[in-house]
Amino acid sequence: MNVLVAYATRHGSTAGIAERIAAALGTAGVSAEAHPVSEVADLTPYDAFVIGGAAYMYHWLKDATAFVKRHRAELAERPVWLFSSGPLGTDRVDKEGRDVLETGQPKEFEELKGLLHPRGEQVFFGAWDPSAPPVGIGERLLRHMPASKEALPAGDFRDWPAIEAWAAEIAEALKSGEAPVN
Ligand SMILES: Cc1cc2nc3c(=O)[nH]c(=O)nc-3n(C[C@H](O)[C@H](O)[C@H](O)COP(=O)(O)O)c2cc1C
């Protein structure tokens, strides 16, 4: 059993989540490696996939979506889990009382669930450092908008116990053969 944890990141925090998932799979006895989607061309060495990307403006990073669509035929034949990293802050519900990990699902997940029938999909809290070099015009403009401080709280909110627990569930499913082929 060899699992690929493929990820798309803009500022690196999703890479950290992917690496932690791969490490936790390894600890649970399932061999796994984490790589950026841009560096993976051949899926044949892998038996199962965990694919993650950061969410920006309600969308999964394009590289992650493109990776899934490019490899959809092979992915649909093997066990797949999807994750997204995004919500910032410590509030678990928004002003309307909705679970931020549910509303934080990127728009692409509905379509991708239909394409791949993943074994599971998960949203994790993310991280945001406003002093990091901006990527793109959008982030450059954001710095000059006082309202962005409230909308995008600075800090590292990644929930490592939740990330490790999810990886342990995946390891269990793979080891017990509970993850049937789609
Ligand atoms: C301009 C901007 C827009 C964002 N939009 C969303 C969003 O729509 N949904 C969400 O859950 N998180 C959003 N976030 C938070 C990021 O997803 C979070 O910072 C994530 O951990 C970044 O991952 P990365 O470091 O791998 O790029 C946004 C962050 C920024 C800076």
Side-chain angles (χ1 to χ4, degrees):
M1 177 70 62
N2 193 20
V3 179
L4 172 68
V5 186
Y7 61 87
T9 182
R10 194 184 277 177
H11 288 288
S13 64
T14 311
I17 294 174
E19 276 152 19
R20 187 67 67 95
I21 291 170
L25 287 170
T27 304
V30 174
S31 143
E33 46 194 85
H35 296 293
V37 287
S38 56
E39 289 177 13
V40 179
D42 180 13
L43 302 195
T44 48
Y46 306 105
D47 306 295
F49 302 89
V50 179
I51 305 166
Y56 283 90
M57 306 311 288
Y58 311 104
H59 291 281
W60 221 28
L61 280 179
K62 282 195 176 74
D63 282 3
T65 306
F67 177 83
V68 167
K69 291 197 169 169
R70 197 160 59 244
H71 296 290
R72 59 192 273 190
E74 286 163 285
L75 292 171
E77 288 170 357
R78 282 172 263 177
V80 175
W81 283 262
L82 301 177
F83 76 89
S84 179
S85 78
L88 301 170
T90 52
D91 293 341
R92 305 198 74 94
V93 291
D94 64 16
K95 284 179 184 139
E96 284 82 42
R98 297 172 305 177
D99 184 335
V100 297
L101 297 183
E102 279 173 24
T103 56
Q105 277 214 2
K107 288 189 193 295
E108 288 71 16
F109 270 27
E110 269 320 302
E111 183 194 354
L112 298 182
K113 281 191 249 178
L115 280 182
L116 301 178
H117 305 292
R119 302 297 179 269
E121 59 280 330
Q122 186 66 46
V123 174
F124 294 115
F125 282 97
W128 167 234
D129 174 5
S131 66
V135 175
I137 183 80
E139 286 187 17
R140 217 173 287 273
L141 291 171
L142 204 68
R143 286 167 185 242
H144 306 289
M145 293 165 59
S148 71
K149 281 209 174 88
E150 200 195 330
L152 296 168
D156 187 347
F157 306 98
R158 288 173 293 178
D159 184 346
W160 300 116
I163 291 161
E164 287 176 356
W166 192 63
E169 273 176 36
I170 293 173
E172 275 317 302
L174 289 170
K175 284 196 288 184
S176 68
E178 264 174 24
V181 171
N182 287 316

